[in-house]
Amino acid sequence: MCKENVVEGVQNAPHRSLFHALGLTEEEQKRPLIGIVSSHNEIVPGHMNLDKIVEAVKLGVAMAGGTPIMFPAIAVCDGIAMGHKGMKYSLVTRDLIADSTEAMALAHGFDGLVMVPNCDKNVPGLLMAAARVNIPTVFVSGGPMLAGKVDGRKTSLSSMFEAVGAYNAGKIDGSKLLEYEQKTCPTCGSCSGMYTANSMNCLTEALGMALRGNGTIPAVYSARIELAKHAGMAVMELVRNNIRPRDIMTKEALMNALTVDMALGCSTNSMLHLPAIAHECGIELNLDIANKISAVTPNLCHLAPAGRTYMEELDEAGGVYAVMNELCKKNLLNTDCMTVTGNTIGKNIEGCVNLDTNIIRPIDAPYSETGGIAVLKGNLAPDGSVVKRSAVLPEMLVHEGPAKVFDSEEEAQSAINSGKIVAGDVVVIRYEGPKGGPGMREMLNPTSAIMGMGLGNSVALITDGRFSGATRGACIGHVTPEAASGGVIGVVKDGDIISIDIPANKIELKISDEELSKRLSEFVPKKKELSGYLKRYASLVSGGASGAILN
């Protein structure tokens, strides 16, 4: 028990006096101390309801004989941070969250933790912290937002960004844009498509770190409150049985998570976060493994932005466990992995059938025989790049065209808005990687503008930055090495032909080896003047292919 370091024995009488200052009775001090890590704040729509989730968790812990004590974690809203300097601070918070949670948990002698995240970086950041601290831990998120509705069709945040592109292209007027603005995000919760937040919350179920429904029960449903109470009860059982995160997040469990990722068609950001989580568990998870799993894992779901179904419908169809049950029909999961229920994955998913084959395709009738994410390599990305294959139009799976090169997202956005990008182009955005950005900004504004202007079936975009889970189209991110580290993407010139072959997992700059060697020998990457946390982050961060971990 960890609390013996802070509440037991004569030597800890000063510590107990401080617990009395908190209003904790002797009885409460004698029970297991459970830290509730709350990402609640009033700026992130996915986190505004977490105070209610935390209170429910506290009740569950107390009912099961523990003493719950809340402490906070920060959170950034990627949607609000999108398209300006603020996005540089999104990915970097993942490590701040992990570091600060580690510090709080170990400084105060908690016996167990319940992590209450919801949006993009909080889930992986807290999973990283759970692996480091390695005391019994359960995850319960705030849940997804309900879809909006415009003109009788469901919408989500990706619809909103594409509406801006449609407005700029003259396809809709100001009143229609305003209607989208007012109706697209109708409730609290993580944005309603299979974006990064929902991807990672679903993968907590696949990893075994959360209870059934964590990824899919809508934020506004009372079932979410019940789930939080059960999470509080579950952590007490983990404490009693001494089941810890590294007992659960094994290599086999991480392979399960990658497999479910491919079946669901998750955000490309999972290819950043899963390697970083694995690293904290002492496990290497490289991009080559991702392609091997993708090659044998059918893509069963096309949620927004890949299709027009949403998280609430995945929940109604049986959720993540139903997807996992489909995968087990072809023995694609390791069902012996331990979970926070105290049971194995196999035991957990018994009887969890697919209730709607329009939402979750049967294993024998998938959207595609291969997974939703592909890793591309070639002379342009020798260490790898990532694309959400399930959200690419069939006609763009293979594409070749001239490069239009930009050294920042802002430059590219200006060119797109002014009509300088035409059918056939390959937009290249560089110096937006982990070091070069720094912070590896998401490129949802330019990708949505391309789609909204009707160029999604003829224009590709590549970057050493990354994409929002809301991105769709032939958008290849995480190009590694990045420009700031001397990567080939830094020497691409306007008019160079770039070849993309997603089925073959290839991306090539079509110039001779001699010309490429000459350019690289003369290349001096641009440097940016940095200060504060971003300067420190840029000096420590690795490339996107290894999860942008801090060395």
Side-chain angles (χ1 to χ4, degrees), residues 136-149:
T137 301
V138 176
F139 275 68
V140 58
S141 75
M145 184 184 292
L146 293 178
K149 188 172 284 188

Side-chain angles (χ1 to χ4, degrees), residues 181-261:
E181 179 183 330
Q182 293 174 338
K183 294 181 178 180
T184 292
C185 298
T187 72
C188 65
S190 49
C191 296
S192 57
M194 188 54 79
Y195 310 148
T196 306
N198 292 326
S199 295
M200 293 308 302
N201 282 321
C202 286
L203 294 185
T204 59
E205 292 188 54
L207 277 170
M209 289 297 294
L211 302 178
R212 181 185 182 185
N214 183 60
T216 59
I217 297 171
V220 295
Y221 284 13
S222 297
R224 176 64 53 180
I225 301 297
E226 294 182 36
L227 179 71
K229 291 176 183 175
H230 283 125
M233 297 176 198
V235 77
M236 293 303 299
E237 286 301 310
L238 294 179
V239 170
R240 292 184 185 106
N241 294 308
N242 195 28
I243 298 174
R244 300 170 180 247
R246 283 185 227 159
D247 299 326
I248 295 170
M249 290 193 287
T250 61
K251 184 173 182 179
E252 291 76 16
L254 286 157
M255 295 301 104
N256 281 347
L258 264 176
T259 301
V260 173
D261 183 307

Side-chain angles (χ1 to χ4, degrees), residues 315-475:
D315 187 61
E316 292 164 4
V320 176
Y321 277 18
V323 174
M324 294 172 77
N325 227 336
E326 287 290 342
L327 293 170
C328 283
K329 292 176 182 177
K330 288 196 174 180
N331 299 314
L332 293 173
L333 296 178
N334 185 318
T335 56
D336 293 329
C337 292
M338 179 53 62
T339 74
V340 293
T341 67
N343 292 318
T344 64
I345 284 287
K347 184 69 174 175
N348 286 349
I349 66 175
E350 282 180 8
C352 300
V353 299
N354 182 357
L355 301 174
D356 190 339
T357 55
N358 292 315
I359 306 300
I360 304 170
R361 288 280 185 92
I363 194 78
D364 292 323
Y367 283 101
S368 66
E369 293 293 341
T370 53
I373 289 177
V375 174
L376 313 185
K377 287 189 174 183
N379 66 353
L380 188 52
D383 293 340
S385 60
V386 181
V387 61
K388 188 169 183 173
R389 173 166 43 195
S390 59
V392 178
L393 292 170
E395 57 267 37
M396 289 300 292
L397 289 170
V398 176
H399 180 76
E400 188 169 292
K404 296 275 182 72
V405 183
F406 306 95
D407 287 347
S408 70
E409 177 188 3
E410 288 83 358
E411 292 175 28
Q413 188 67 48
S414 176
I416 295 166
N417 290 346
S418 60
K420 294 179 181 177
I421 305 303
V422 299
D425 284 346
V426 178
V427 177
V428 178
I429 306 177
R430 60 194 181 194
Y431 293 104
E432 291 288 6
K435 286 184 180 293
M440 207 176 186
R441 285 196 290 183
E442 291 183 343
M443 303 289 145
L444 183 56
N445 275 349
T447 61
S448 296
I450 287 169
M451 296 302 294
M453 297 169 94
L455 294 171
N457 63 350
S458 59
V459 169
L461 190 152
I462 69 170
T463 180
D464 52 11
R466 62 194 176 96
F467 296 113
S468 164
T471 290
R472 64 189 179 103
C475 302

Side-chain angles (χ1 to χ4, degrees), residues 141-164:
S141 75
M145 184 184 292
L146 293 178
K149 188 172 284 188
V150 175
D151 296 331
R153 302 182 75 176
K154 288 186 175 182
T155 60
S156 59
L157 188 64
S158 52
S159 313
M160 184 70 249
F161 277 90
E162 290 180 19
V164 174

Side-chain angles (χ1 to χ4, degrees), residues 24 69 78 135 152 264-265 307 350 372 482:
L24 293 180
I69 303 174
D78 278 22
I135 61 175
L264 286 171
E350 282 180 8
E482 60 180 290

